[in-house]
Amino acid sequence: MTGQNVRTIAPGGTIGMLGSGQLGRMTALAAANLGYKTHVFSPDADSPCAQVSAAETVASYGDHEALAKFARSVDVVTLEWENIPVQTLAFIAKFVPVHPGPGVLAVAQDRLLEKDFVNRLGIATAPWRPARCPGQAGEAVLEIGTPCVMKSARMGYDGKGQVKLTGDVAPVDAWKSIGGVDAIVEGFIDFELEVSVIVARGQDGAMVAYPAVENRHANHILDETIAPAAVSPATAAEAERIACRIAEALRFVGVLAVEMFVTREGAVLVNELAPRPHNSGHWTIDACASSQFEQLVRAVCGLPLGSVDRVADAVMRNLIGSDVDRWPDLIAEPGARLHLYGKAEARPGRKMGHVTRLLPRI
């Protein structure tokens, strides 16, 4: 123990990772640099994370026997995907510390709970209403007005499970098109740009925040992140304040990404929370003293948080689908930092890697 409520795991320990994609992979690499091993648990074999981990368990998130064996083999558990079942985290927590915990995940998995939580903190979002049934969907669209966006309350990401309404589609038809599930209707925001802030919070409550970055999307998938965002110092400070306030209120341990809109009037509105490393933080691997992935390792292992000082400005671009075929040119490009995720098949919309280009600090 290094302080009140801090459980320190010394190098040589094993971090359990729930989920096995590229975020887990980059966390496992950061963990190895600090002397830790990673044991990954997911239903998928030959995963990006498993390729660089010391151990792998391939099993369902509902397999209690496999989960118990996994939990007994590690010193702490974290996650790289917020849609791990809450029941899975609650079960594992009987055996070993889990960061972030099941309570955090319950909020982050449900857009209705998430928006309500943020608003209760006095933090603004787009106007929204619940749409849990056909009648409520119609009422929500009527109250919010068009244009608006209807999103499934759970499981949607990268544009999945959502539809924009402009008045030419009946709300009930829109609700059915996203699966007829619990949904949220959000007012359409005419924003200047989208930003995100990634904040790391340790077991002792210490926090550090990376600067606000600008995120540009293509086909609802993050295409490019520009670090730092070209916003006023006051706007950047407000975005960082909001992210830290949410992390504190959640009693979060780990790395939290807060996606936000900056309106044309300069207001900052929270869009979504991601309770794990985030695509918009990949630039920190090459441009910061400590990456978002190292911060996750530090936080869950009870170590002091690292510096978020950046050694350069940066532009990170995702390699989606066949973009990865450009790797020979990218790896030959002076100054380009290429990161490939070890995925065997390049499919449309699939994140295969990213490239970061460093720029002089402004």
Side-chain angles (χ1 to χ4, degrees):
M1 300 285 286
T2 60
Q4 188 176 5
N5 299 323
V6 175
R7 182 178 182 272
T8 300
I9 298 165
T14 300
I15 298 168
M17 178 62 68
L18 295 173
S20 58
Q22 63 266 19
L23 301 178
R25 178 189 183 95
M26 288 180 272
T27 303
L29 291 171
N33 285 338
L34 292 178
Y36 295 94
K37 297 183 286 291
T38 299
H39 182 163
V40 58
F41 186 109
S42 92
D44 304 313
D46 190 30
S47 63
C49 185
Q51 292 169 8
V52 299
S53 295
E56 173 188 23
T57 295
V58 179
S60 161
Y61 292 123
D63 186 336
H64 283 191
E65 182 178 352
L67 287 170
K69 184 176 180 181
F70 164 75
R72 292 188 181 103
S73 74
V74 301
D75 298 293
V76 66
V77 170
T78 190
L79 53 91
E80 61 107 51
W81 189 50
E82 62 266 40
N83 287 315
I84 304 295
V86 171
Q87 298 89 338
T88 296
L89 261 67
F91 180 80
I92 290 175
K94 298 175 183 178
F95 302 89
V96 66
V98 179
H99 304 298
V104 171
L105 215 60
V107 172
Q109 283 183 359
D110 190 309
R111 287 187 171 95
L112 296 169
L113 295 178
E114 182 179 273
K115 287 287 196 296
D116 183 63
F117 179 84
V118 170
N119 290 161
R120 285 176 182 271
L121 296 177
I123 297 170
T125 62
W128 62 276
R129 295 291 187 276
R132 296 187 176 91
C133 63
Q136 201 173 49
E139 292 173 4
V141 173
L142 185 64
E143 291 181 24
I144 295 297
T146 56
C148 61
V149 181
M150 186 180 293
K151 303 177 182 178
S152 59
R154 303 174 66 87
M155 292 297 290
Y157 62 95
D158 288 347
K160 299 177 177 68
Q162 63 179 266
V163 59
K164 182 178 177 180
L165 286 86
T166 58
D168 55 346
V169 176
V172 64
D173 292 334
W175 183 75
K176 290 177 180 177
S177 75
I178 61 172
V181 295
D182 284 358
I184 186 171
V185 174
E186 298 177 6
F188 188 76
I189 301 298
D190 183 24
F191 56 85
E192 183 74 26
L193 72 165
E194 294 184 53
V195 301
S196 60
V197 170
I198 292 172
V199 57
R201 186 173 185 272
Q203 296 177 36
D204 60 356
M207 285 187 286
V208 292
Y210 292 96
V213 298
E214 179 182 353
N215 297 321
R216 298 178 179 177
H217 292 76
N219 300 317
H220 300 288
I221 300 174
L222 182 63
D223 180 50
E224 186 177 66
T225 292
I226 301 169
V231 296
S232 70
T235 299
E238 175 65 1
E240 291 176 25
R241 183 196 70 80
I242 287 171
C244 289
R245 176 73 181 95
I246 293 171
E248 182 179 39
L250 286 169
R251 297 182 181 178
F252 196 88
V253 174
V255 169
L256 174 72
V258 182
E259 298 178 76
M260 293 168 265
F261 299 122
V262 178
T263 70
R264 300 190 188 281
E265 296 73 33
V268 180
L269 308 178
V270 169
N271 181 29
E272 291 185 347
L273 311 180
R276 37 78 177 170
H278 193 260
N279 198 165
S280 68
H282 292 353
W283 67 277
T284 63
I285 299 172
D286 299 303
C288 290
S290 302
S291 74
Q292 63 167 342
F293 303 102
E294 181 180 323
Q295 300 285 25
L296 177 58
V297 173
R298 286 171 173 265
V300 303
C301 291
L303 305 180
L305 298 177
S307 168
V308 293
D309 289 347
R310 68 183 192 280
V311 299
D313 292 348
V315 176
M316 186 283 304
R317 184 177 288 276
N318 275 330
L319 301 177
I320 307 294
S322 61
D323 289 347
V324 74
D325 295 337
R326 297 166 43 219
W327 73 264
D329 295 330
L330 294 171
I331 206 165
E333 180 185 327
R337 311 295 178 90
L338 180 64
H339 300 262
L340 300 179
Y341 303 153
K343 297 179 180 180
E345 182 184 0
R347 299 192 297 266
R350 193 181 198 196
K351 296 171 183 173
M352 301 298 295
H354 71 269
V355 60
T356 301
R357 295 176 174 90
L358 303 184
L359 307 168
R361 283 194 56 171
I362 298 175

